[in-house]
């Protein structure tokens, strides 16, 4: 099951990064009428929430930049930003690095859970 989850993450993360790399900085900042968030926010939100779900909930240190919570956490939106948001290049690096860390961490987490159930 773990292997299937990691393969799924690879596919989805690959699609996400491919789209990110085809998106311009200008296009990433367009907030469509009737929506609160733009492409940049959604990409950063993926990085922040996945970090929180995998590492934060497991009690591990989160490695996304501290500013990601105020930019991309639940309830945030670009209209409220008072500082310059991370570039698409930075977000892409975070997403790529995070995928590698998750692949390394998940087997450790599974072994740790197995030990607790004994």
């Amino acid at each position: 099951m773990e292997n299937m989850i990691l393969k799924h993450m690879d596919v989805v993360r690959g699609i996400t990064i491919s789209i990110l790399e085809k998106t311009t900085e200008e296009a990433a900042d367009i907030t469509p009428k009737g929506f609160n968030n733009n492409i940049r926010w959604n990409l950063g939100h993926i990085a922040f929430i996945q970090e929180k779900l995998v590492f934060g909930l497991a009690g591990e240190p989160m490695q996304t930049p501290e500013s990601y919570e105020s930019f991309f956490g639940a309830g945030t939106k670009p209209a409220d930003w008072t500082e310059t948001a991370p570039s698409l290049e930075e977000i892409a690096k975070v997403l790529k690095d995070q995928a590698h860390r998750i692949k390394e961490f998940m087997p450790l987490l599974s072994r740790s859970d197995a030990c607790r159930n004994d």
Side-chain angles (χ1 to χ4, degrees), residues 2-46:
E2 176 185 304
N3 193 34
M4 190 167 56
I5 292 169
L6 292 174
K7 283 183 187 242
H8 179 72
M9 182 193 70
D10 276 344
V11 170
V12 174
R13 187 59 58 101
I15 292 168
T16 302
I17 290 170
S18 175
I19 291 168
L20 183 154
E21 290 173 342
K22 295 174 186 169
T23 303
T24 65
E25 294 284 338
E26 295 77 25
D29 290 329
I30 296 169
T31 302
K33 191 173 192 158
F35 291 86
N36 288 325
N37 296 307
N38 54 32
I39 292 170
R40 183 182 314 276
W41 182 90
N42 279 282
L43 293 166
H45 186 69
I46 290 168

Side-chain angles (χ1 to χ4, degrees), residues 70-117:
S70 61
F71 280 118
F72 308 122
T76 63
K77 60 184 184 251
D80 295 338
W81 294 346
T82 58
E83 297 176 21
T84 303
S87 68
L88 293 180
E89 184 177 341
E90 179 187 325
I91 295 170
K93 181 175 179 358
V94 167
L95 289 168
K96 290 173 187 175
D97 291 348
Q98 184 182 67
H100 293 296
R101 288 187 301 104
I102 290 171
K103 283 182 183 179
E104 292 173 358
F105 179 68
M106 289 301 288
L108 297 174
L109 183 61
S110 294
R111 282 194 292 268
S112 175
D113 285 345
C115 291
R116 284 186 222 144
N117 292 330

